[in-house]
């Protein structure tokens, strides 16, 4: 049942520095053989998947996903969110704690593990809160969360403003060997900003969310990392200054890591002025989209472009691409943030922040990072597999013999168009419907079972 022979693909496993044509044999949910001996060792009658023209790699890991369960199941559920993950080629996700109740106690962690075991199509790992109820006032029981199985702590969606409290959080995290993930946002600078503070926020009359509001907290976290020795990870970087700070911290040898999301390294704040302005002002930055007659149109103030942190300037977007290319940004993830249609269908100021991302992440990463010549396929795949696995201590992200058979098969060149009708998510708040994309997931295999198989 969960045995499979994949033949004729390009097998890329950055964890083992493997890249070449070959077969892959899965037996009883585990990787049994890679390379020439795979076909020889396959038992008679084992199910076969033709992977010619495709990359076969360790299952992708998305360490930044909002599954919304418990509490916000009108937006998404463990079942629908992980179905979308499987379509996007992800075999593992890490869910964020801004649920209701907040994931700040062992019992909520247990509830998610239990529901995921019954309803999820991919592996679900849990991030616990740093502070009780994400209120930023007192620490959650970090030891109890660790014992319950969380792989990291974060107040994502919120940011601990009290530096002393963050220092204590890092001290506990270090004791329990948990990475601290931070959504970097200084509230006194950002206040009620809704768009990147710059030309477009001024032209459109939107309240500004300045880039320094992120970089200040990145700098704070780096200093506290140095003081405590904790592993610190900056979430969804959006600004050039943040990238420069992380680059410098790494140069000094600090255990600081960072992630970036496709919407931040693909789009800019010009998108808020509508598609005409976006393509005119900035379309050249979107790889392979120049002069395409078939691009979708959207109006100014489209709330599908409202995210936190916000889409920033072309210079910021280019700095993210540069940071991804030179290794400053270690990890690719989505910040998949589903919301209900009626919540987004309001004036820009009132809409919640967030876009969905699970089903388009691989294609956008391939377009912006690989097809543009910035990263090789093994380098790109590493940021989706071995890098998050190492940071979070997951026994995943590799095709080593004996490892869980979590495998992603994708055609890096196949063109396709993402539509709201085809999404497996409950939510339809993606900015990328109608976009011509390049790079398609063909099969997602979790523990040797096919959880997604592309049609056609
Ligand atoms: O855009 C966002 N949406 N950013 C966050 O940090 C939180 C997220 C959400 O939960 O909707
Ligand atoms: Zn966040």
């Amino acid at each position: 049942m969960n045995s499979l022979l994949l033949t004729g693909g390009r097998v890329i496993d950055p964890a083992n520095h493997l890249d070449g044509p070959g077969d892959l044999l899965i037996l009883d949910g585990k990787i049994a053989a890679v390379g020439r001996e795979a076909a020889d060792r396959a038992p008679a009658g084992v199910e076969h998947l033709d992977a010619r023209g495709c990359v076969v790699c360790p299952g992708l890991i998305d360490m930044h996903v909002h599954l919304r369960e418990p509490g916000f199941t009108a937006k998404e559920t463990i079942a629908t969110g992980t179905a979308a993950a499987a379509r996007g080629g992800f075999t593992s996700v890490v869910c964020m704690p801004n649920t209701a109740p907040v994931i700040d106690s062992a019992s909520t962690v247990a509830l998610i593990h239990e529901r995921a075991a019954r309803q999820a199509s991919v592996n679900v790992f849990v991030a616990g809160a740093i502070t009780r109820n994400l209120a930023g006032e007192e620490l959650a029981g970090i030891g109890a969360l660790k014992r319950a199985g969380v792989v990291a702590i974060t107040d994502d969606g919120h940011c601990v403003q009290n530096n002393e409290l963050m220092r204590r959080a890092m001290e506990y995290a270090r004791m329990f060997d948990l990475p601290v993930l931070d959504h970097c946002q200084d509230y006194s600078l950002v206040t009620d900003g809704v768009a990147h503070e710059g030309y477009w926020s001024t032209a459109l009359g939107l309240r500004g969310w300045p880039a320094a509001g992120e970089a200040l907290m990145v700098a704070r976290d780096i200093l506290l990392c140095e003081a405590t020795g904790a592993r610190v990870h900056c979430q969804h970087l959006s600004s050039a200054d943040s990238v420069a700070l992380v680059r410098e911290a790494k140069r000094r040898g600090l255990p600081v890591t960072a992630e970036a999301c496709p919407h931040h390294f693909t789009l800019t704040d010009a998108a808020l002025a509508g598609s005409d302005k976006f393509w005119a002002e900035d379309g050249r930055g979107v790889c392979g989209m120049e002069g395409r007659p078939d691009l979708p149109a959207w109006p100014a103030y489209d709330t599908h472009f409202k995210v936190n942190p916000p889409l920033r300037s072309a210079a910021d977007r280019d700095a993210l691409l540069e940071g991804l290319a030179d290794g400053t940004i270690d990890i690719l993830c989505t910040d998949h943030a589903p919301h209900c249609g009626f919540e987004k269908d309001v004036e820009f100021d009132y809409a919640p922040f967030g876009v969905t991302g699970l089903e388009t992440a691989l294609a956008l990463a391939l377009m912006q990072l690989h097809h543009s010549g910035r990263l090789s396929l093994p380098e790109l795949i590493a940021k989706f597999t071995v890098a998050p696995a190492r940071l979070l201590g997951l026994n995943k992200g590799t095709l080593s013999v004996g490892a869980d058979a979590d495998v992603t098969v994708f055609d890096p060149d196949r063109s396709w168009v993402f539509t709201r009708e085809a999404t497996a998510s409950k939510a339809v708040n993606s900015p990328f419907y109608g976009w011509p994309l390049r790079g398609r997931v063909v099969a997602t295999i979790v523990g040797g079972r096919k959880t997604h198989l592309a049609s056609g």
Side-chain angles (χ1 to χ4, degrees):
M1 173 74 182
N2 45 0
S3 298
L4 197 61
L5 176 67
L6 295 96
T7 55
R10 174 175 167 189
V11 180
I12 301 180
D13 181 12
N16 288 309
H17 308 287
L18 196 72
D19 178 7
D23 303 334
L24 181 78
L25 177 66
I26 296 169
L27 291 179
D28 295 327
K30 303 281 181 193
I31 305 289
V34 186
R36 288 189 201 294
E37 49 163 343
D40 299 341
R41 288 203 30 214
V46 72
E47 195 183 344
H48 173 229
L49 197 135
D50 182 355
R52 279 176 299 174
C54 290
V55 168
V56 175
C57 68
L60 310 186
I61 300 166
D62 186 348
M63 67 170 284
H64 195 145
V65 174
H66 296 272
L67 290 179
R68 305 297 193 207
E69 189 171 348
F72 301 111
T73 50
K75 297 174 193 266
E76 193 77 287
T77 63
I78 290 170
T80 58
T82 58
R87 282 199 185 214
F90 293 99
T91 56
S92 294
V93 298
V94 178
C95 63
M96 293 295 113
N98 59 343
T99 49
V102 163
I103 310 176
D104 60 5
S105 72
S107 54
T108 312
V109 179
L111 175 117
I112 293 168
H113 283 152
E114 206 177 283
R115 288 196 187 167
R118 282 184 287 118
Q119 295 161 12
S121 342
V122 306
N123 306 297
V124 174
F125 295 96
V126 180
I130 297 173
T131 66
R132 283 188 206 283
N133 211 27
L134 305 176
E137 284 163 8
E138 49 178 337
L139 293 181
I142 295 169
L145 286 168
K146 167 79 182 192
R147 280 191 297 279
V150 303
V151 296
I153 52 171
T154 173
D155 268 7
D156 182 52
H158 302 258
C159 177
V160 177
Q161 300 296 294
N162 182 320
N163 301 326
E164 199 273 334
L165 195 65
M166 192 59 161
R167 174 194 170 165
R168 299 290 168 223
M170 287 191 194
E171 286 170 348
Y172 277 104
R174 186 180 171 195
M175 234 155 66
F176 294 112
D177 195 24
L178 285 170
V180 179
L181 323 181
D182 199 14
H183 164 124
C184 297
Q185 176 175 350
D186 182 286
Y187 291 176
S188 65
L189 271 182
V190 174
T191 61
D192 52 1
V194 293
H196 171 60
E197 184 180 291
Y199 174 84
W200 285 113
S201 65
T202 309
L204 296 167
L206 293 170
R207 288 192 301 273
W209 192 137
E214 176 180 85
L216 257 175
M217 280 301 179
V218 171
R220 184 271 310 255
D221 289 350
I222 290 169
L223 291 170
L224 291 180
C225 162
E226 195 165 14
T228 62
R231 292 185 290 135
V232 172
H233 175 80
C234 299
Q235 295 179 289
H236 45 47
L237 284 197
S238 67
S239 83
D241 286 338
S242 303
V243 177
L245 285 163
V246 172
R247 184 178 289 122
E248 169 63 16
K250 288 196 154 166
R251 203 188 55 74
R252 290 196 286 136
L254 295 174
V256 172
T257 52
E259 65 184 37
C261 310
H263 50 275
H264 287 128
F265 63 74
T266 302
L267 300 165
T268 66
D269 58 347
L272 305 178
S275 48
D276 292 354
K277 289 286 189 310
F278 175 72
W279 294 113
E281 298 287 322
D282 198 57
R284 69 190 177 283
V286 182
C287 176
M289 296 289 190
E290 304 86 350
R292 294 281 305 240
D294 50 349
L295 293 170
W298 65 85
Y301 304 99
D302 187 334
T303 61
H304 292 104
F305 298 90
K306 181 175 176 183
V307 279
N308 187 17
L311 304 177
R312 297 205 183 273
S313 69
D316 289 306
R317 192 265 323 274
D318 293 349
L320 293 178
L321 292 170
E322 183 56 37
L324 284 159
D326 73 10
T328 300
I329 303 175
D330 316 74
I331 288 170
L332 290 162
C333 65
T334 66
D335 193 8
H336 178 82
H339 291 291
C340 297
F342 73 85
E343 295 174 298
K344 279 288 199 184
D345 195 13
V346 293
E347 293 88 331
F348 198 85
D349 279 354
Y350 300 122
F353 292 98
V355 296
T356 59
L358 285 164
E359 292 159 283
T360 47
L362 178 61
L364 290 164
L366 285 165
M367 291 160 68
Q368 292 290 74
L369 299 169
H370 176 62
H371 295 310
S372 64
R374 291 183 176 92
L375 287 181
S376 67
L377 279 172
E379 288 167 334
L380 186 152
I381 291 166
K383 291 184 198 291
F384 270 129
T385 55
V386 62
R390 287 211 178 122
L391 176 67
L392 303 168
L394 310 181
N395 197 12
K396 298 281 179 191
T398 169
L399 297 177
S400 297
V401 169
D404 294 342
D406 294 349
V407 181
T408 300
V409 182
F410 68 90
D411 179 341
D413 290 308
R414 184 125 117 219
S415 298
W416 63 292
V417 176
F418 182 49
T419 63
R420 69 191 76 215
E421 293 73 34
T423 189
S425 170
K426 229 184 207 197
V428 288
N429 56 310
S430 163
F432 298 113
Y433 300 119
W435 281 47
L437 302 175
R438 184 170 168 208
R440 181 101 214 243
V441 176
V442 169
T444 309
I445 298 158
V446 179
R449 286 175 213 274
K450 295 194 291 283
T451 55
H452 168 68
L453 202 56
S455 50

PDB file of all heavy atoms in Angstrom, residues 64 66 68 98 156-158 183 236 306-309 335 337-339 353-355, ligand 1:
ATOM      1  N   HIS A  64       5.717  27.940   8.149  1.00  0.00           N
ATOM      2  CA  HIS A  64       4.905  29.105   8.556  1.00  0.00           C
ATOM      3  C   HIS A  64       3.512  29.032   7.926  1.00  0.00           C
ATOM      4  O   HIS A  64       3.282  29.562   6.842  1.00  0.00           O
ATOM      5  CB  HIS A  64       5.616  30.406   8.160  1.00  0.00           C
ATOM      6  CG  HIS A  64       5.059  31.607   8.843  1.00  0.00           C
ATOM      7  ND1 HIS A  64       5.834  32.675   9.235  1.00  0.00           N
ATOM      8  CD2 HIS A  64       3.798  31.914   9.232  1.00  0.00           C
ATOM      9  CE1 HIS A  64       5.078  33.577   9.824  1.00  0.00           C
ATOM     10  NE2 HIS A  64       3.832  33.146   9.815  1.00  0.00           N
ATOM     11  N   HIS A  66      -0.843  29.110   8.778  1.00  0.00           N
ATOM     12  CA  HIS A  66      -1.969  29.333   9.688  1.00  0.00           C
ATOM     13  C   HIS A  66      -3.084  28.356   9.312  1.00  0.00           C
ATOM     14  O   HIS A  66      -3.735  28.534   8.287  1.00  0.00           O
ATOM     15  CB  HIS A  66      -2.462  30.774   9.588  1.00  0.00           C
ATOM     16  CG  HIS A  66      -1.425  31.779  10.031  1.00  0.00           C
ATOM     17  ND1 HIS A  66      -1.297  32.185  11.348  1.00  0.00           N
ATOM     18  CD2 HIS A  66      -0.435  32.412   9.355  1.00  0.00           C
ATOM     19  CE1 HIS A  66      -0.289  33.047  11.442  1.00  0.00           C
ATOM     20  NE2 HIS A  66       0.257  33.201  10.254  1.00  0.00           N
ATOM     21  N   ARG A  68      -5.636  27.698  11.357  1.00  0.00           N
ATOM     22  CA  ARG A  68      -6.866  28.319  11.904  1.00  0.00           C
ATOM     23  C   ARG A  68      -7.700  27.408  12.800  1.00  0.00           C
ATOM     24  O   ARG A  68      -8.785  27.802  13.200  1.00  0.00           O
ATOM     25  CB  ARG A  68      -7.767  28.844  10.787  1.00  0.00           C
ATOM     26  CG  ARG A  68      -7.098  29.826   9.825  1.00  0.00           C
ATOM     27  CD  ARG A  68      -6.642  31.088  10.502  1.00  0.00           C
ATOM     28  NE  ARG A  68      -6.286  32.126   9.519  1.00  0.00           N
ATOM     29  CZ  ARG A  68      -5.412  33.077   9.752  1.00  0.00           C
ATOM     30  NH1 ARG A  68      -4.781  33.154  10.914  1.00  0.00           N
ATOM     31  NH2 ARG A  68      -5.156  33.991   8.843  1.00  0.00           N
ATOM     32  N   ASN A  98      -1.732  31.434  16.599  1.00  0.00           N
ATOM     33  CA  ASN A  98      -2.797  32.448  16.784  1.00  0.00           C
ATOM     34  C   ASN A  98      -4.173  31.889  16.441  1.00  0.00           C
ATOM     35  O   ASN A  98      -4.860  32.338  15.546  1.00  0.00           O
ATOM     36  CB  ASN A  98      -2.489  33.739  15.994  1.00  0.00           C
ATOM     37  CG  ASN A  98      -2.350  33.529  14.500  1.00  0.00           C
ATOM     38  OD1 ASN A  98      -2.172  32.410  14.038  1.00  0.00           O
ATOM     39  ND2 ASN A  98      -2.448  34.612  13.743  1.00  0.00           N
ATOM     40  N   ASP A 156       3.653  34.819  16.555  1.00  0.00           N
ATOM     41  CA  ASP A 156       3.372  35.304  15.188  1.00  0.00           C
ATOM     42  C   ASP A 156       1.992  35.953  15.032  1.00  0.00           C
ATOM     43  O   ASP A 156       0.995  35.467  15.549  1.00  0.00           O
ATOM     44  CB  ASP A 156       3.489  34.177  14.170  1.00  0.00           C
ATOM     45  CG  ASP A 156       3.235  34.702  12.768  1.00  0.00           C
ATOM     46  OD1 ASP A 156       3.884  35.689  12.391  1.00  0.00           O
ATOM     47  OD2 ASP A 156       2.357  34.165  12.088  1.00  0.00           O
ATOM     48  N   GLY A 157       1.999  37.025  14.256  1.00  0.00           N
ATOM     49  CA  GLY A 157       0.804  37.872  14.154  1.00  0.00           C
ATOM     50  C   GLY A 157       0.938  39.002  15.161  1.00  0.00           C
ATOM     51  O   GLY A 157       0.388  40.084  14.981  1.00  0.00           O
ATOM     52  N   HIS A 158       1.686  38.713  16.222  1.00  0.00           N
ATOM     53  CA  HIS A 158       1.993  39.685  17.273  1.00  0.00           C
ATOM     54  C   HIS A 158       3.506  39.679  17.463  1.00  0.00           C
ATOM     55  O   HIS A 158       4.196  38.799  16.960  1.00  0.00           O
ATOM     56  CB  HIS A 158       1.310  39.308  18.591  1.00  0.00           C
ATOM     57  CG  HIS A 158      -0.169  39.200  18.481  1.00  0.00           C
ATOM     58  ND1 HIS A 158      -1.024  40.183  18.917  1.00  0.00           N
ATOM     59  CD2 HIS A 158      -0.949  38.237  17.956  1.00  0.00           C
ATOM     60  CE1 HIS A 158      -2.260  39.829  18.673  1.00  0.00           C
ATOM     61  NE2 HIS A 158      -2.254  38.640  18.085  1.00  0.00           N
ATOM     62  N   HIS A 183       7.967  37.398  14.706  1.00  0.00           N
ATOM     63  CA  HIS A 183       7.290  38.298  13.763  1.00  0.00           C
ATOM     64  C   HIS A 183       7.727  39.698  14.191  1.00  0.00           C
ATOM     65  O   HIS A 183       7.244  40.213  15.202  1.00  0.00           O
ATOM     66  CB  HIS A 183       5.774  38.082  13.897  1.00  0.00           C
ATOM     67  CG  HIS A 183       4.917  39.138  13.301  1.00  0.00           C
ATOM     68  ND1 HIS A 183       3.960  38.874  12.351  1.00  0.00           N
ATOM     69  CD2 HIS A 183       4.833  40.459  13.540  1.00  0.00           C
ATOM     70  CE1 HIS A 183       3.342  40.001  12.019  1.00  0.00           C
ATOM     71  NE2 HIS A 183       3.848  40.971  12.728  1.00  0.00           N
ATOM     72  N   HIS A 236       9.142  35.916   8.026  1.00  0.00           N
ATOM     73  CA  HIS A 236       8.696  36.689   6.842  1.00  0.00           C
ATOM     74  C   HIS A 236       9.376  38.049   6.691  1.00  0.00           C
ATOM     75  O   HIS A 236       8.727  39.086   6.744  1.00  0.00           O
ATOM     76  CB  HIS A 236       7.174  36.843   6.811  1.00  0.00           C
ATOM     77  CG  HIS A 236       6.491  37.212   8.097  1.00  0.00           C
ATOM     78  ND1 HIS A 236       6.918  38.221   8.916  1.00  0.00           N
ATOM     79  CD2 HIS A 236       5.378  36.707   8.684  1.00  0.00           C
ATOM     80  CE1 HIS A 236       6.110  38.305   9.946  1.00  0.00           C
ATOM     81  NE2 HIS A 236       5.177  37.403   9.835  1.00  0.00           N
ATOM     82  N   LYS A 306      -3.051  42.932   0.862  1.00  0.00           N
ATOM     83  CA  LYS A 306      -2.818  43.452   2.217  1.00  0.00           C
ATOM     84  C   LYS A 306      -2.250  42.335   3.092  1.00  0.00           C
ATOM     85  O   LYS A 306      -2.942  41.354   3.384  1.00  0.00           O
ATOM     86  CB  LYS A 306      -4.124  43.987   2.814  1.00  0.00           C
ATOM     87  CG  LYS A 306      -3.925  44.568   4.210  1.00  0.00           C
ATOM     88  CD  LYS A 306      -5.185  45.209   4.759  1.00  0.00           C
ATOM     89  CE  LYS A 306      -4.956  45.692   6.193  1.00  0.00           C
ATOM     90  NZ  LYS A 306      -6.167  46.266   6.789  1.00  0.00           N
ATOM     91  N   VAL A 307      -0.996  42.480   3.456  1.00  0.00           N
ATOM     92  CA  VAL A 307      -0.329  41.494   4.304  1.00  0.00           C
ATOM     93  C   VAL A 307       0.483  42.209   5.375  1.00  0.00           C
ATOM     94  O   VAL A 307       0.790  43.395   5.253  1.00  0.00           O
ATOM     95  CB  VAL A 307       0.652  40.589   3.512  1.00  0.00           C
ATOM     96  CG1 VAL A 307      -0.057  39.480   2.807  1.00  0.00           C
ATOM     97  CG2 VAL A 307       1.520  41.390   2.575  1.00  0.00           C
ATOM     98  N   ASN A 308       0.842  41.430   6.386  1.00  0.00           N
ATOM     99  CA  ASN A 308       1.650  41.955   7.474  1.00  0.00           C
ATOM    100  C   ASN A 308       2.863  41.055   7.683  1.00  0.00           C
ATOM    101  O   ASN A 308       2.684  39.877   7.996  1.00  0.00           O
ATOM    102  CB  ASN A 308       0.817  41.996   8.763  1.00  0.00           C
ATOM    103  CG  ASN A 308       1.554  42.701   9.876  1.00  0.00           C
ATOM    104  OD1 ASN A 308       2.515  43.406   9.639  1.00  0.00           O
ATOM    105  ND2 ASN A 308       1.101  42.489  11.101  1.00  0.00           N
ATOM    106  N   PRO A 309       4.097  41.534   7.527  1.00  0.00           N
ATOM    107  CA  PRO A 309       4.476  42.873   7.098  1.00  0.00           C
ATOM    108  C   PRO A 309       4.019  43.141   5.664  1.00  0.00           C
ATOM    109  O   PRO A 309       3.761  42.209   4.916  1.00  0.00           O
ATOM    110  CB  PRO A 309       6.003  42.869   7.212  1.00  0.00           C
ATOM    111  CG  PRO A 309       6.374  41.429   7.069  1.00  0.00           C
ATOM    112  CD  PRO A 309       5.274  40.668   7.717  1.00  0.00           C
ATOM    113  N   ASP A 335       3.705  31.699   4.982  1.00  0.00           N
ATOM    114  CA  ASP A 335       2.790  32.503   5.814  1.00  0.00           C
ATOM    115  C   ASP A 335       1.366  32.398   5.257  1.00  0.00           C
ATOM    116  O   ASP A 335       0.634  33.392   5.189  1.00  0.00           O
ATOM    117  CB  ASP A 335       3.224  33.971   5.912  1.00  0.00           C
ATOM    118  CG  ASP A 335       2.469  34.718   7.025  1.00  0.00           C
ATOM    119  OD1 ASP A 335       1.738  34.069   7.793  1.00  0.00           O
ATOM    120  OD2 ASP A 335       2.616  35.949   7.111  1.00  0.00           O
ATOM    121  N   ALA A 337      -2.115  32.462   5.083  1.00  0.00           N
ATOM    122  CA  ALA A 337      -2.995  33.128   6.066  1.00  0.00           C
ATOM    123  C   ALA A 337      -4.403  33.261   5.485  1.00  0.00           C
ATOM    124  O   ALA A 337      -4.785  34.302   4.958  1.00  0.00           O
ATOM    125  CB  ALA A 337      -2.426  34.492   6.431  1.00  0.00           C
ATOM    126  N   PRO A 338      -5.172  32.166   5.559  1.00  0.00           N
ATOM    127  CA  PRO A 338      -6.519  32.168   4.979  1.00  0.00           C
ATOM    128  C   PRO A 338      -7.492  33.050   5.763  1.00  0.00           C
ATOM    129  O   PRO A 338      -7.420  33.122   6.992  1.00  0.00           O
ATOM    130  CB  PRO A 338      -6.942  30.692   5.052  1.00  0.00           C
ATOM    131  CG  PRO A 338      -6.090  30.084   6.125  1.00  0.00           C
ATOM    132  CD  PRO A 338      -4.811  30.858   6.166  1.00  0.00           C
ATOM    133  N   HIS A 339      -8.352  33.734   5.021  1.00  0.00           N
ATOM    134  CA  HIS A 339      -9.433  34.530   5.630  1.00  0.00           C
ATOM    135  C   HIS A 339     -10.702  34.295   4.824  1.00  0.00           C
ATOM    136  O   HIS A 339     -10.646  33.888   3.655  1.00  0.00           O
ATOM    137  CB  HIS A 339      -9.079  36.016   5.617  1.00  0.00           C
ATOM    138  CG  HIS A 339      -7.961  36.379   6.539  1.00  0.00           C
ATOM    139  ND1 HIS A 339      -8.084  36.331   7.918  1.00  0.00           N
ATOM    140  CD2 HIS A 339      -6.679  36.762   6.297  1.00  0.00           C
ATOM    141  CE1 HIS A 339      -6.933  36.687   8.471  1.00  0.00           C
ATOM    142  NE2 HIS A 339      -6.054  36.944   7.517  1.00  0.00           N
ATOM    143  N   PHE A 353      -5.087  41.304   7.588  1.00  0.00           N
ATOM    144  CA  PHE A 353      -3.837  41.067   6.868  1.00  0.00           C
ATOM    145  C   PHE A 353      -3.736  39.584   6.499  1.00  0.00           C
ATOM    146  O   PHE A 353      -4.098  38.733   7.301  1.00  0.00           O
ATOM    147  CB  PHE A 353      -2.646  41.397   7.771  1.00  0.00           C
ATOM    148  CG  PHE A 353      -2.487  42.852   8.117  1.00  0.00           C
ATOM    149  CD1 PHE A 353      -2.957  43.350   9.321  1.00  0.00           C
ATOM    150  CD2 PHE A 353      -1.836  43.706   7.251  1.00  0.00           C
ATOM    151  CE1 PHE A 353      -2.782  44.692   9.661  1.00  0.00           C
ATOM    152  CE2 PHE A 353      -1.646  45.041   7.573  1.00  0.00           C
ATOM    153  CZ  PHE A 353      -2.123  45.543   8.782  1.00  0.00           C
ATOM    154  N   GLY A 354      -3.215  39.274   5.328  1.00  0.00           N
ATOM    155  CA  GLY A 354      -2.905  37.880   5.021  1.00  0.00           C
ATOM    156  C   GLY A 354      -3.304  37.438   3.636  1.00  0.00           C
ATOM    157  O   GLY A 354      -4.293  37.913   3.073  1.00  0.00           O
ATOM    158  N   VAL A 355      -2.495  36.532   3.082  1.00  0.00           N
ATOM    159  CA  VAL A 355      -2.786  35.907   1.791  1.00  0.00           C
ATOM    160  C   VAL A 355      -2.561  34.403   1.921  1.00  0.00           C
ATOM    161  O   VAL A 355      -1.756  33.969   2.738  1.00  0.00           O
ATOM    162  CB  VAL A 355      -1.863  36.448   0.666  1.00  0.00           C
ATOM    163  CG1 VAL A 355      -2.117  37.922   0.430  1.00  0.00           C
ATOM    164  CG2 VAL A 355      -0.387  36.216   0.978  1.00  0.00           C
TER     165      VAL A 355
HETATM  166  O1  LIG B   1      -0.447  38.780   6.977  1.00  0.00           O
HETATM  167  C1  LIG B   1      -0.435  38.158   8.040  1.00  0.00           C
HETATM  168  N1  LIG B   1      -1.460  37.361   8.408  1.00  0.00           N
HETATM  169  N2  LIG B   1       0.621  38.309   8.844  1.00  0.00           N
HETATM  170  C2  LIG B   1       0.652  37.789  10.076  1.00  0.00           C
HETATM  171  O2  LIG B   1       1.626  37.961  10.753  1.00  0.00           O
HETATM  172  C3  LIG B   1      -0.521  37.041  10.607  1.00  0.00           C
HETATM  173  C4  LIG B   1      -1.330  36.492   9.539  1.00  0.00           C
HETATM  174  C5  LIG B   1      -2.682  35.999   9.987  1.00  0.00           C
HETATM  175  O3  LIG B   1      -2.750  35.299  11.000  1.00  0.00           O
HETATM  176  O4  LIG B   1      -3.666  36.258   9.290  1.00  0.00           O
END
